[in-house]
Amino acid sequence: MAAVSSAFSVQGLNFYYGQNRILSNVSLEIQPRQVTALIGPSGCGKSTFLRCLNRMNDTIASARVEGTILLNGKDIYTETMDVVNLRQRVGMVFQKPNPFPQSIYDNVAFGPRVMGMNVNLDRVVRESLERAALWDDVKDDLKADALSLALGQQQRLCIARVIAVQPEVILMDESTSALDPIATLRIEELIAELKRDYTIVIVTHNMQQAARISDQTGFFWLGELVEFRDTNSMFTNPRNEITEAYLTGRMG
């Protein structure tokens, strides 16, 4: 049994689509209140792994998981695990901003309303928007259509929507790849602020981004976790030849 001090403890994870094995024997410890970056070429399994952490792959009929994923010491793949509760605790921000076609206010209030949370909605909306560094941009018109916001603002709104349900972990799957450099910088600054209170796991193709904002980095290659260690050591002194070849642009 791994130490409960880890936010996530993953041991011997294999993931299949039908007969095709996508992830092979992945094991790692994700520390609380740190940013963990997952890097590697397209199709290497990093986004599939991310979706294993809140069981989003369950929606695929042919998906099958072997191994263990513990969230604060509890196995998330037991029959007694409430998947709705799990996805409240482990929220996700996707590659493209996906605000609902509703007002800014209703986007943030959506989760607490649906989950029947006994909270002051006005306070939750304001605090969530403040945490997402969006409040000053929208406070004068919370009834505005969320789709009228710029892309970077829409992505911060999606982060506020996740924060509103009081998660423990925030997963981000290429969450800045559709944004311009200025909006990307704002999201990176936001991630640095959010890790004070949340465990954050990001998938990124941008190795410079991983080097800038993460504490730990995992390198995936052909469905295997080739190397996982603190980010500075990974980028300055990789242990594996494949890792070094990928980081220097000679492979991938």
Side-chain angles (χ1 to χ4, degrees), residues 50-56 76 83 86-87 90 92 171:
L50 194 74
R51 285 164 167 77
C52 287
L53 298 180
N54 69 348
R55 292 183 55 172
M56 287 200 68
I76 70 170
V83 178
L86 172 66
R87 291 173 187 159
V90 185
M92 179 169 280
L171 310 178

Side-chain angles (χ1 to χ4, degrees), residues 11-84:
Q11 300 297 324
L13 178 68
N14 297 302
F15 180 84
Y16 299 83
Y17 289 130
Q19 297 301 312
N20 297 321
R21 184 156 72 169
I22 308 302
L23 297 173
S24 301
N25 196 32
V26 175
S27 298
L28 77 167
E29 305 286 326
I30 295 174
Q31 300 304 316
R33 298 187 181 184
Q34 289 191 1
V35 178
T36 298
L38 308 177
I39 64 172
S42 297
C44 66
K46 55 190 185 295
S47 290
T48 297
F49 173 79
L50 194 74
R51 285 164 167 77
C52 287
L53 298 180
N54 69 348
R55 292 183 55 172
M56 287 200 68
N57 292 320
D58 286 13
T59 60
I60 303 169
S62 62
R64 179 166 56 90
V65 172
E66 297 173 348
T68 305
I69 300 180
L70 306 180
L71 173 61
N72 292 327
K74 300 293 179 65
D75 191 339
I76 70 170
Y77 276 92
T78 61
E79 292 182 359
T80 57
M81 172 59 67
D82 182 335
V83 178
V84 174

Side-chain angles (χ1 to χ4, degrees), residues 120-207:
N120 182 315
L121 275 180
D122 289 348
R123 181 181 303 141
V124 167
V125 169
R126 174 167 183 155
E127 290 178 351
S128 300
L129 290 169
E130 286 176 341
R131 297 301 306 276
L134 189 58
W135 174 253
D136 287 343
D137 294 356
V138 302
K139 62 183 178 181
D140 295 326
D141 196 5
L142 295 176
K143 294 182 179 180
D145 186 347
L147 298 177
S148 68
L149 297 173
L151 275 181
Q153 293 174 317
Q154 289 184 19
Q155 195 66 300
R156 280 182 280 142
L157 178 63
C158 293
I159 293 171
R161 193 171 63 197
V162 168
I163 291 172
V165 296
Q166 302 172 7
E168 300 164 33
V169 181
I170 300 175
L171 310 178
M172 296 184 168
D173 191 4
E174 294 282 359
S175 57
T176 63
S177 64
L179 307 182
D180 62 59
I182 294 175
T184 294
L185 178 60
R186 295 202 68 180
I187 297 292
E188 290 182 2
E189 291 171 343
L190 175 57
I191 289 171
E193 290 290 323
L194 291 175
K195 80 171 185 177
R196 297 177 182 178
D197 298 303
Y198 306 97
T199 302
I200 299 175
V201 186
I202 67 169
V203 164
T204 180
H205 280 100
N206 187 330
M207 289 182 286

